[in-house]
Amino acid sequence: MKRMVLSILAENTSGVLSRVSGLFSRRGYNIDSITAGETQDPKFSRMTVVVTGDDLILEQMEKQLGKLEDVIDIKRLEPGQSVCRELVLIKVQADQVQRQAIIAIADVFRAKIVDVSINSLMIELTGNQEKIDAFIRLLDGYVISQLVRTGTTGLVRGTYDGSENKSKEKEE
């Protein structure tokens, strides 16, 4: 099983996220992660979809996505040719003694302490999936009371932005 990360540029229309995710569910495929948001141009949204499957399934899903009316461009985010990141917020139970040790771990990972209370710390960390997984493993001896991850989001390195396909679509 291989992992594929797709960056999808689509028209920012009502239901576009539902149509993209529905394409996977109708065929019985699971989405490992999906993020979506408006781009610098509010007419467009960019989604990052992470899926796992064999080569045939992944190729089929990519082609099916390209057939959706709202989809303007699809790029595979290949390691080394793209930048992918994830955000995690973690609330860790911590008394005064534990607090300094947890802050020291957070500092090593360049994480931010975004909230402190008498009994807990909330930590924000951005990085690739491996970095976040490693950070969570180091917190194994502490009580994590809440954790939320955004899922992967990313862009192709360099100057490619999908505009070649946007202009081609408008000419047709």
Side-chain angles (χ1 to χ4, degrees):
M1 297 291 257
K2 291 174 74 175
R3 181 175 183 259
M4 178 173 66
V5 181
L6 295 173
S7 178
I8 303 166
L9 184 66
E11 292 179 19
N12 191 8
T13 57
S14 177
V16 69
L17 181 60
S18 176
R19 286 187 288 283
V20 167
S21 62
L23 181 76
F24 290 88
S25 64
R26 282 192 303 277
R27 286 160 179 79
Y29 301 128
N30 187 44
I31 296 172
D32 298 333
S33 165
I34 187 167
T35 61
E38 196 174 87
T39 67
Q40 70 279 11
D41 184 341
K43 292 185 255 178
F44 302 103
S45 290
R46 184 168 307 276
M47 291 172 246
T48 306
V49 180
V50 180
V51 293
T52 306
D54 62 35
D55 287 331
L56 185 62
I57 289 170
L58 296 177
E59 186 177 328
Q60 179 186 16
M61 294 312 301
E62 190 173 0
K63 287 179 181 176
Q64 292 295 317
L65 284 167
K67 292 179 182 179
L68 291 177
E69 189 175 311
D70 296 323
V71 172
I72 296 163
D73 185 52
I74 302 170
K75 286 298 280 182
R76 278 193 191 205
L77 300 182
E78 302 288 353
Q81 299 173 358
S82 60
V83 176
C84 292
R85 294 291 184 263
E86 198 176 324
L87 168 72
V88 64
L89 290 174
I90 304 171
K91 190 183 295 183
V92 183
Q93 291 180 9
D95 58 26
Q96 285 183 336
V97 175
Q98 296 170 321
R99 190 170 290 138
Q100 288 308 312
I102 294 169
I103 290 171
I105 294 169
D107 286 345
V108 169
F109 283 81
R110 295 187 182 136
K112 296 178 187 173
I113 307 300
V114 293
D115 186 59
V116 178
S117 71
I118 294 171
N119 300 323
S120 68
L121 292 170
M122 188 180 305
I123 305 163
E124 171 189 315
L125 177 61
T126 304
N128 62 31
Q129 185 178 6
E130 292 79 18
K131 177 181 179 179
I132 290 176
D133 290 343
F135 181 70
I136 292 169
R137 279 193 302 274
L138 281 178
L139 293 177
D140 189 41
Y142 301 97
V143 177
I144 296 175
S145 57
Q146 291 183 314
L147 182 146
V148 64
R149 293 173 85 150
T150 60
T152 300
T153 192
L155 292 172
V156 173
R157 291 184 185 274
T159 58
Y160 180 82
D161 67 359
S163 60
E164 297 87 18
N165 288 348
K166 279 191 265 181
S167 59
K168 187 173 77 174
E169 291 282 327
K170 290 177 184 174
E171 289 172 8
E172 292 176 353

